[in-house]
């Protein structure tokens, strides 16, 4: 499998939104949302068959507007959220909605990647996540371990907790929290913690990171000047409940213990431009993937702050005798080491690469981790260089 050729899949329009379909347990599947001002936008459903090294795909219409963020329900694989732009009274407004895929959307899912999508079906609108008093929505976060009935939207300086009712056809704001301070404060990103019974939220605004208790919607910690420039993304360690990763425009990736936020416990400085995304591997939390507009995806080994600082990355039956001996003699070797670097080079044709792996990524925009894992050394998924607006082949 190490010598498999990359799989190429082309998109008709540029795209900046990608997520793994976490409720799908049998297939490695990604959802990609497109951006077009002139034509109907699309949701591309991309399945990766790791045994045969091929892609199966479907296309659904998203006619509401260009998609800037996409999220998949953790409980129902047919339900998703999008944040999108639309024009209203000569103004561009950022909105959010909950959608359901058509019941027969999997029909034709085994078309060749080269086939064009003829007469794609449209998504079914379940409900809008709109509150005119709370501004434009930047992203929507699903409760990570929940039953698909709670989401949080970040709209300007407000965090809104929604209860989805009647099979997600109705949404009601149950509680809110607001940023307070000088200037026009706005949330830029957030992450719902899978720990503490999903009662905590981390958000980023400008250079600060804040923690919130969702039971009281009150702030519980604040990391002022967490990064020298804008904080772009956050992710919680899936196995260590107090550990949070962040990245930003200062080209750095930082790891925090939210019990003591005076200094980061670790800092990486491998990128040479803005770091847009950071993600932990869901099974091996020492593996951290970062994506930057320096056109690189970097997989780092953060073993010293992982849940298994002296553990193995691979099952024993996957190791040769020599590898077993080397691992036993160096249980924590290579902490912070770069395990893989993927460079992107723009081409004339807009294409995407499909990943063979446990890691999905968009360079310069978003990284997603599929629930299914293959080999931990096999890196990368969908990638995009945001300065060229082209999808590019990964080397």
């Amino acid at each position: 499998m190490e010598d498999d050729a990359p799989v190429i899949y082309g998109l008709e329009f540029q795209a900046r939104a990608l997520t793994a379909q976490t409720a799908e347990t049998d297939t490695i599947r990604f959802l990609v949302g497109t951006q077009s001002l002139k034509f109907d936008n699309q949701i591309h459903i991309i399945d990766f068959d790791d045994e045969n090294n091929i892609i199966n795909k479907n296309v659904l219409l998203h006619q509401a507007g260009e998609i800037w963020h996409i999220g998949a329900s953790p409980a129902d694989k047919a339900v998703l959220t999008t944040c999108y732009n639309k024009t209203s009274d000569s103004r561009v407004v950022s909105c959010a909605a909950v959608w359901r895929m058509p019941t027969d959307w999997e029909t034709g899912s085994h078309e060749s990647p080269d086939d064009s999508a003829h007469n794609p079906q449209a998504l079914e609108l379940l409900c809008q996540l709109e509150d005119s008093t709370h501004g434009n929505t930047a992203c929507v976060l699903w409760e990570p371990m929940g039953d698909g009935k709670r989401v949080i939207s970040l709209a300007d300086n407000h965090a809104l907790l929604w209860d989805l009712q009647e099979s997600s056809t109705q949404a009601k704001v149950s509680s809110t929290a607001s940023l307070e301070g000088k200037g026009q404060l706005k949330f830029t990103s957030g992450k719902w913690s899978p720990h503490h019974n999903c009662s905590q939220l981390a958000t980023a605004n400008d250079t600060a990171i804040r923690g919130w208790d969702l039971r009281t919607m009150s702030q519980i910690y604040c990391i002022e000047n967490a990064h020298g420039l804008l904080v772009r993304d956050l992710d919680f360690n899936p196995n260590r409940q107090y550990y949070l990763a962040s990245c930003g425009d200062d080209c750095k990736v930082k790891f925090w213990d939210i019990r003591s936020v005076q200094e980061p416990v670790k800092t990486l400085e491998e990128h040479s431009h803005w770091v847009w995304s950071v993600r932990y591997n869901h099974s091996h939390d020492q593996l951290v993937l970062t994506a930057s507009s320096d056109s690189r995806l970097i997989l780092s080994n953060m073993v010293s702050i992982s849940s298994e600082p002296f553990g193995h990355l691979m099952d024993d039956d996957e190791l040769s005798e020599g590898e077993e001996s080397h691992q036993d003699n160096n249980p924590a070797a290579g902490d912070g080491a770069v395990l893989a670097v993927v460079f992107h080079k723009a081409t004339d044709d807009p294409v995407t690469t499909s990943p063979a792996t446990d890691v999905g990524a968009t360079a310069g925009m978003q990284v997603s981790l599929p629930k299914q894992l293959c080999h931990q050394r096999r890196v990368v998924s969908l990638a995009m260089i945001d300065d060229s607006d082209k999808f590019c082949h990964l080397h």
Side-chain angles (χ1 to χ4, degrees):
M1 292 292 290
E2 292 294 333
D3 297 327
D4 285 341
V7 183
I8 311 284
Y9 174 62
L11 291 178
E12 184 179 357
F13 309 122
Q14 73 178 40
R16 296 177 183 269
L18 163 72
T19 190
Q21 193 181 51
T22 51
E24 174 56 64
T25 57
D26 298 325
T27 303
I28 301 174
R29 178 172 294 158
F30 299 92
L31 307 178
V32 183
T34 67
Q35 290 187 332
S36 174
L37 293 174
K38 296 181 179 179
F39 305 99
D40 287 340
N41 281 282
Q42 303 167 340
I43 299 289
H44 288 248
I45 306 167
I46 302 174
D47 293 358
F48 180 72
D49 182 344
D50 58 331
E51 293 184 358
N52 299 305
N53 200 37
I54 60 173
I55 275 182
N56 299 315
K57 57 89 177 180
N58 263 292
V59 178
L60 300 175
L61 289 181
H62 182 280
Q63 298 169 316
E66 53 178 354
I67 302 168
W68 286 90
H69 185 270
I70 187 170
S73 167
D76 187 340
K77 65 180 182 180
V79 175
L80 67 147
T81 56
T82 61
C83 297
Y84 58 92
N85 285 355
K86 70 176 183 179
T87 303
S88 176
D89 298 328
S90 301
R91 295 186 306 113
V92 176
V93 181
S94 298
C95 305
V98 184
W99 308 86
R100 180 176 293 279
M101 300 177 188
T103 55
D104 57 345
W105 68 267
E106 289 188 281
T107 302
S109 63
H110 298 288
E111 297 175 11
S112 163
D114 296 325
D115 291 343
S116 59
H118 297 295
N119 302 315
Q121 301 181 73
L123 292 167
E124 175 192 353
L125 176 63
L126 294 179
C127 65
Q128 298 281 353
L129 299 176
E130 293 185 7
D131 189 324
S132 58
T133 63
H134 291 111
N136 294 325
T137 304
C139 65
V140 175
L141 311 172
W142 288 89
E143 184 177 17
M145 310 301 289
D147 55 4
K149 294 183 178 180
R150 294 207 304 171
V151 296
I152 291 174
S153 64
L154 300 181
D156 287 344
N157 65 323
H158 302 283
L160 291 80
L161 178 60
W162 300 80
D163 289 331
L164 301 181
Q165 304 167 348
E166 304 296 331
S167 300
S168 299
T169 58
Q170 297 179 17
K172 180 181 178 181
V173 176
S174 60
S175 55
T176 65
S178 299
L179 281 173
E180 297 180 356
K182 296 180 180 179
Q184 295 181 337
L185 301 179
K186 290 186 178 182
F187 289 116
T188 54
S189 64
K191 193 71 176 182
W192 197 328
S193 172
H195 309 295
H196 313 289
N197 293 319
C198 298
S199 64
Q200 293 187 11
L201 170 72
T203 62
N205 67 283
D206 197 20
T207 63
I209 298 172
R210 303 172 192 270
W212 305 84
D213 187 330
L214 297 177
R215 295 165 295 187
T216 60
M217 297 305 282
S218 59
Q219 184 175 298
I220 52 178
Y221 61 85
C222 179
I223 311 174
E224 296 284 359
N225 300 313
H227 286 261
L229 296 170
L230 182 71
V231 179
R232 291 282 179 183
D233 197 22
L234 305 167
D235 196 29
F236 280 97
N237 186 311
N239 300 320
R240 300 196 70 180
Q241 60 182 335
Y242 298 109
Y243 278 68
L244 174 71
S246 65
C247 62
D249 285 0
D250 58 358
C251 312
K252 297 178 181 179
V253 179
K254 296 185 179 183
F255 299 86
W256 306 90
D257 184 335
I258 59 175
R259 296 168 296 183
S260 178
V261 296
Q262 287 74 28
E263 296 289 338
V265 295
K266 198 87 174 178
T267 300
L268 295 180
E269 301 184 48
E270 301 294 339
H271 287 287
S272 59
H273 206 263
W274 306 337
V275 187
W276 288 75
S277 304
V278 58
R279 287 294 181 272
Y280 280 97
N281 184 295
H282 283 183
S283 289
H284 302 289
D285 58 73
Q286 62 267 57
L287 299 179
V288 178
L289 184 69
T290 55
S292 166
S293 42
D294 64 3
S295 303
R296 296 192 302 168
L297 300 169
I298 295 180
L299 182 65
S300 300
N301 182 23
M302 307 305 299
V303 64
S304 69
I305 55 174
S306 72
S307 61
E308 296 180 334
F310 301 102
H312 295 279
L313 280 179
M314 291 186 289
D315 295 334
D316 291 339
D317 57 2
E318 294 181 1
L319 296 172
S320 65
E321 289 186 8
E323 288 174 318
E324 287 180 352
S325 175
H326 177 75
Q327 260 199 1
D328 291 340
N329 293 333
N330 300 276
D335 181 43
V338 173
L339 299 182
V341 180
V342 181
F343 294 90
H344 305 255
K345 182 178 180 181
T347 63
D348 291 334
D349 301 320
V351 298
T352 63
T353 64
S354 96
T357 104
D358 52 319
V359 187
T362 60
M365 281 301 150
Q366 178 181 352
V367 180
S368 295
L369 290 171
K371 188 174 182 179
Q372 305 76 13
L373 298 174
C374 303
H375 194 290
Q376 71 278 357
R377 290 182 181 174
R378 303 191 62 193
V379 186
V380 178
S381 261
L382 298 155
M384 182 175 69
I385 298 178
D386 66 325
D387 58 353
S388 67
D389 289 331
K390 299 286 188 179
F391 282 84
C392 305
H393 181 76
L394 300 183
H395 299 284

